[in-house]
Amino acid sequence: MVKLYAISILYKSANSAVWLKAAYDLQTFSFFQRGSVEEFMAFVSKTIVERTQTAARQSVKEGEYMCHVYVRGDNLAGVIISDHEYPQRVSHTLITKVLDEFTEKYPSHIWPTATEATITFNQVKTYLAKYQNPREADAMTKIQEELDETKIILHNTIEAVLDRGEKLDDLVAKSEGLSTQSKAFYKTARKTNSCCNFG
């Protein structure tokens, strides 16, 4: 079963990344896990954007998930979280399309001060639903061809993306963006190596 879990748009500043818009499809998780899973996917998305160079693409394997990230030359960034079955090229093509449409609606001068509350961009939800089936992306072959010349760096673990000596466990412990419940959930998932093994 091919699955897209999340599409996020962020703006990468000198020392951080800020949320502009995100959409999640977490129906495959139990109702009680969804809040923690969403928080953790947001945390991982932000962490990877902050550690991806400008004008670079990466795909990061983490447990049973793939985190695809693209930080454009203008520091607008997109992240897609999918399962391993979802085609990597389709994910990156979709990120490009989402960011291009976002730019048409919101010019670059507002990104540094915008927040998720001030941005209305429901296309992320629409795309998350529409592209659950990667065949829908066939219409995007033009962007696909442009992508073929682009190098996508593939990492087998999130640790490969982090700064030397950094550990995901430490980042989770220090994070202000994760609730106590989500941190406990992460620790349990780490121990049992279960559904939400981000790390």
Side-chain angles (χ1 to χ4, degrees):
M1 170 76 181
V2 179
K3 187 78 187 140
L4 271 183
Y5 296 108
I7 300 177
S8 306
I9 302 169
L10 299 94
Y11 174 70
K12 182 181 177 178
S13 62
N15 52 5
S16 184
V18 291
W19 287 100
L20 298 177
K21 212 69 199 168
Y24 298 89
D25 180 347
L26 304 175
Q27 291 167 356
T28 53
F29 297 94
S30 83
F31 176 78
F32 299 104
Q33 289 179 326
R34 286 178 199 162
S36 293
V37 171
E38 182 177 322
E39 258 187 33
F40 208 77
M41 285 186 175
F43 169 77
V44 167
S45 298
K46 184 175 186 292
T47 301
I48 290 176
V49 165
E50 288 169 353
R51 284 152 181 82
T52 298
Q53 290 182 338
T54 301
R57 291 180 184 272
Q58 302 193 90
S59 288
V60 183
K61 282 183 192 171
E62 201 42 65
E64 56 221 56
Y65 306 98
M66 289 295 296
C67 305
H68 307 282
V69 62
Y70 174 35
V71 179
R72 295 195 324 194
D74 57 9
N75 285 319
L76 190 66
V79 180
I80 285 181
I81 297 179
S82 69
D83 63 12
H84 287 275
E85 312 306 307
Y86 201 88
Q88 182 176 313
R89 286 278 171 194
V90 175
S91 297
H92 281 282
T93 303
L94 182 53
I95 291 171
T96 300
K97 185 175 175 58
V98 168
L99 295 182
D100 286 350
E101 284 194 22
F102 184 84
T103 306
E104 282 171 27
K105 188 168 180 182
Y106 293 102
S108 58
H109 69 271
I110 69 153
W111 303 340
T113 54
T115 64
E116 213 169 345
T118 62
I119 298 280
T120 308
F121 190 72
N122 292 326
Q123 287 90 323
V124 286
K125 285 184 184 153
T126 307
Y127 282 133
L128 190 59
K130 182 177 180 183
Y131 291 104
Q132 287 298 332
N133 177 356
R135 288 201 193 98
E136 287 288 339
D138 287 348
M140 296 193 293
T141 47
K142 183 180 155 291
I143 306 174
Q144 171 82 38
E145 286 162 18
E146 294 166 21
L147 257 183
D148 286 337
E149 294 149 34
T150 309
K151 185 168 183 262
I152 299 170
I153 302 162
L154 179 64
H155 295 290
N156 285 320
T157 65
I158 196 164
E159 272 73 18
V161 180
L162 301 178
D163 295 332
R164 191 172 303 171
E166 265 188 322
K167 293 204 169 21
L168 189 61
D169 290 0
D170 298 341
L171 291 176
V172 167
K174 285 190 280 193
S175 171
E176 292 169 17
L178 290 171
S179 65
T180 309
Q181 180 186 348
S182 291
K183 289 178 184 180
F185 176 77
Y186 166 77
K187 281 183 187 159
T188 307
R190 276 288 261 187
K191 280 187 198 128
T192 59
N193 211 8
S194 69
C195 81
C196 306
N197 177 24
F198 263 98

